[in-house]
Amino acid sequence: MTPPRDVAVVAYARTDHQGPAEGLSEAETLLPVLHEVLDRAGLAPGEADFTCSGSSDYLAGRPFSFTLTLDAVGAWPPIAESHVEMDGAWALYEAWVKILTGRADTALVYAHGKPSAGDPRDVLTRTLDPYYLAPLWPEPASLAALQARALADAGHTAGPDPAADPLAGPPAVADGAAAVVLAAGDAARRMCGRPAWIRGADHRVEPHALGLRDLTDSPSTRLAAERAGAFRAPVDTAELHVPFAAQDVVLRRALRLDDTVTVNPSGAAAGPLMVAGLIRLGEAAARIHRGASDRALAHATSGPCLQHNLVAVLEGDA
Amino acid sequence: MLVRLDGADTALLHALDAPHAGAVRTGMRVRVRWADRREGAITDIACFEPYDGPVTHEAVPHDGSFPDPVTSLAAPARLEYTYTAGRAQTRYLDGLARREVLGERCPSCRKVYVPPRGACPTCGVATTEPAAPGPRGTVTTFCVVNIKAKGLDIDVPYVYAHIALDGADLALHARIGGIPYDQVRMGMRVEPVWTGDGRHPDHYRPTGEPDADYDTYRRLL
């Protein structure tokens, strides 16, 4: 399916610190990122037709935590605004759909996460099936280790993933924020010398029970990629969201990436919770803005063992 | 570990009691170790343990009806968080410790926000410039509270009010004391009353000044 309108990522910004955001509230972490992305797009705060954010109350430890960041976007007088309790990649998806419907021409999308407020190893168990999984408190590294073991047993990897070792101690916790601006048609061309046109995007989810899945494969990623049009032509770049290193091989196979594709040129494939996926989309777009890519695939994931996957295809004009 | 029970086509997640990782391999046989106390939850299985026996069970058809169905289960969870007040709120809280109510001014529209939250919601910019409104202020609007709050040692009825501190562009809210509840009025001039080691004003009381003119606070209602 060809999208009914041309919509592009026209600007992108992110925090670059690697550890906890000491002494800053989420709104304060976000403010410089919002200003950077709005400056790049030439928009004033509150000027975008639509605003959509992604974050999680469970990470922040308070209800409706996203409302605290609305001050930072200039939300008064009231703006058209929405929020997903997910990685910001899914906020981008919602904003893209909003623009496709013709209800908006521009959108500000942002994500923020401050997992250092709690212990993500405990917090993330609350996203699991409440009857059979959550009462057992299985931490993310333990679940990832099951997948790494399955991949090693199947011969897809040489051995277990050292990153997926629950006995290795607490993982490094990164806080952060990222933002992009989307725009349609001529607005996009005005805001950006080389817009990163979203040619397709889709997201699909695996069954909730890990025991129902083949952990060595990612049918949801493959289906999302197919529906996003990723296989219609080769991509030169792929930005993959890989929370645990062993998952890289699963994604490369599902997305049919060979050695001709530059994978994750931006560096680390993980990143702050709720932000890492939006960062993958933003980095892919930025590469197109710079002229370093003509057709890029961006992927975001959420949940244990690549449970929920989003794939978008971005292109620059020749 | 994921374990596929004999006769099942899918696996379930649970813990395996093993001395070390080297004692575990994919394909090894295990069996359930039941919890001492069982209540109809996944935790009724204490864990699995290694088992060197043959397959002894085959799946048999079940009609799906049970004599004592489980209708609910409790899965208590407690998560600990460290709250980061942030730059603006830290400044505000530090001020309260010195019995000062501090605000911040928007560099763009010049409004003074108290308490400050770090950004101006109209301009979407950081409010970095400190401001010290008050300490006196004006009641802009109020309500009479007739329901006693749990754990709050205040007799009803009492008055809760929006108070615009002098020099502030946003009303804060606080209890009004030192005056019968039915004599509180819009425009009444008030000042904070700090008591004991309270971390914020206990309440605001009348200053005795003439009431403020409506036009001076109408935009702060």
Side-chain angles (χ1 to χ4, degrees):
Chain A
M1 191 192 82
T2 306
R5 290 184 90 187
D6 286 335
V7 181
V9 179
V10 295
Y12 161 64
R14 62 172 287 191
T15 52
D16 54 11
H17 52 255
Q18 303 296 315
E22 304 280 2
L24 295 180
S25 69
E26 292 196 59
E28 290 165 356
T29 305
L30 189 60
L31 262 169
V33 174
L34 291 175
H35 280 238
E36 193 180 330
V37 82
L38 291 173
D39 277 353
R40 280 188 187 156
L43 285 174
E47 194 182 341
D49 294 337
F50 183 58
T51 298
C52 197
S53 60
S55 68
S56 170
D57 284 355
Y58 273 86
L59 288 187
R62 57 189 301 172
F64 292 98
S65 58
F66 75 94
T67 60
L68 297 178
T69 65
L70 286 175
D71 286 349
V73 302
W76 182 264
I79 57 172
E81 178 271 333
S82 183
H83 174 260
V84 296
E85 193 75 9
M86 305 184 76
D87 187 292
W90 277 265
L92 185 151
Y93 184 88
E94 179 177 334
W96 178 61
V97 171
K98 182 90 166 181
I99 295 177
L100 288 182
T101 64
R103 300 287 297 276
D105 289 332
T106 56
L108 170 65
V109 176
Y110 64 90
H112 53 94
K114 194 174 173 57
S116 68
D119 187 337
R121 292 174 299 173
D122 288 338
V123 173
L124 287 172
T125 64
R126 301 302 95 191
T127 67
L128 303 172
D129 171 293
Y131 308 108
Y132 299 133
L133 292 179
L136 301 173
W137 295 81
E139 58 188 291
S142 296
L143 299 176
L146 290 174
Q147 188 168 32
R149 167 69 58 187
L151 285 162
D153 285 346
H156 293 300
T157 57
D161 178 1
D165 179 2
L167 304 178
V173 173
D175 297 335
V180 303
V181 170
L182 303 185
D186 289 341
R189 291 182 192 93
R190 272 198 308 277
M191 291 173 167
C192 180
R194 192 170 192 247
W197 301 108
I198 303 172
R199 296 302 185 205
D202 194 45
H203 61 100
R204 300 282 158 163
V205 65
E206 306 288 342
H208 276 79
L210 291 172
L212 292 180
R213 293 170 50 183
D214 172 3
L215 295 177
T216 67
D217 195 10
S218 186
S220 60
T221 300
R222 187 178 300 112
L223 184 57
E226 207 170 287
R227 305 282 294 204
F231 302 137
R232 271 182 229 147
V235 297
D236 55 52
T237 302
E239 284 283 350
L240 307 182
H241 180 190
V242 191
F244 291 93
Q247 296 165 343
D248 186 73
V249 66
V250 180
L251 294 172
R252 282 176 190 255
R253 279 194 301 128
L255 294 167
R256 302 178 202 164
L257 303 178
D258 59 25
D259 292 344
T260 64
V261 181
T262 308
V263 177
N264 287 357
S266 65
L273 280 165
M274 316 313 289
V275 185
L278 183 61
I279 286 177
R280 302 273 70 76
L281 285 148
E283 292 291 346
R287 206 165 157 82
I288 288 173
H289 296 163
R290 292 195 297 271
S293 169
D294 293 326
R295 181 173 158 91
L297 179 152
H299 160 264
T301 193
S302 169
C305 303
L306 304 173
Q307 185 184 35
H308 190 175
N309 294 284
L310 181 148
V311 175
V313 177
L314 307 172
E315 282 182 359
D317 289 326
Chain B
M1 61 154 191
L2 286 165
V3 54
R4 197 174 69 202
L5 299 178
D6 293 345
D9 296 310
T10 59
L12 66 83
L13 182 97
H14 220 295
L16 173 67
D17 183 2
H20 54 87
V24 184
R25 65 184 193 286
T26 305
M28 74 186 280
R29 301 277 297 157
V30 296
R31 70 178 168 197
V32 169
R33 183 191 299 164
W34 294 104
D36 293 336
R37 192 163 152 268
R38 298 199 288 277
E39 53 195 13
I42 189 67
T43 44
D44 287 359
I45 299 174
C47 63
F48 284 76
E49 58 191 23
Y51 163 69
D52 275 332
V55 177
T56 57
H57 185 82
E58 280 187 30
V60 291
H62 194 285
D63 65 4
S65 60
F66 298 87
D68 53 348
V70 174
T71 54
S72 70
L73 66 86
R78 181 180 171 79
L79 298 169
E80 304 271 346
Y81 293 92
T82 303
Y83 176 66
T84 301
R87 179 196 55 74
Q89 212 169 19
T90 295
R91 182 188 272 169
Y92 178 71
L93 294 171
D94 284 346
L96 288 182
R98 299 189 305 271
R99 298 198 164 183
E100 286 178 77
V101 176
L102 297 179
E104 286 189 349
R105 186 185 297 278
C106 173
S108 177
C109 69
R110 309 302 294 162
K111 273 189 180 172
V112 170
Y113 292 98
V114 54
R117 293 195 298 188
C120 172
T122 303
C123 304
V125 297
T127 53
T128 49
E129 193 181 314
R136 292 185 167 187
T138 301
V139 172
T140 62
T141 185
F142 65 94
C143 67
V144 179
V145 180
N146 285 294
I147 299 169
K148 199 167 168 56
K150 201 175 166 185
L152 193 63
D153 190 24
I154 298 169
D155 290 331
V156 292
Y158 65 87
V159 168
Y160 210 70
H162 270 202
I163 297 162
L165 296 184
D166 296 345
D169 293 288
L170 184 74
L172 49 77
H173 45 89
R175 185 170 64 88
I176 302 296
I179 181 172
Y181 74 91
D182 56 358
Q183 290 178 29
V184 175
R185 57 208 180 267
M186 290 168 71
M188 193 174 79
R189 297 283 296 158
V190 292
E191 63 189 0
V193 178
W194 302 79
T195 58
D197 56 358
R199 298 291 299 274
H200 54 84
D202 179 74
H203 64 274
Y204 283 70
R205 70 181 172 207
T207 63
E209 294 167 273
D211 285 1
D213 188 63
Y214 179 67
D215 283 338
T216 64
Y217 62 86
R218 59 184 297 174
R219 67 194 173 80
L220 297 173
L221 282 175

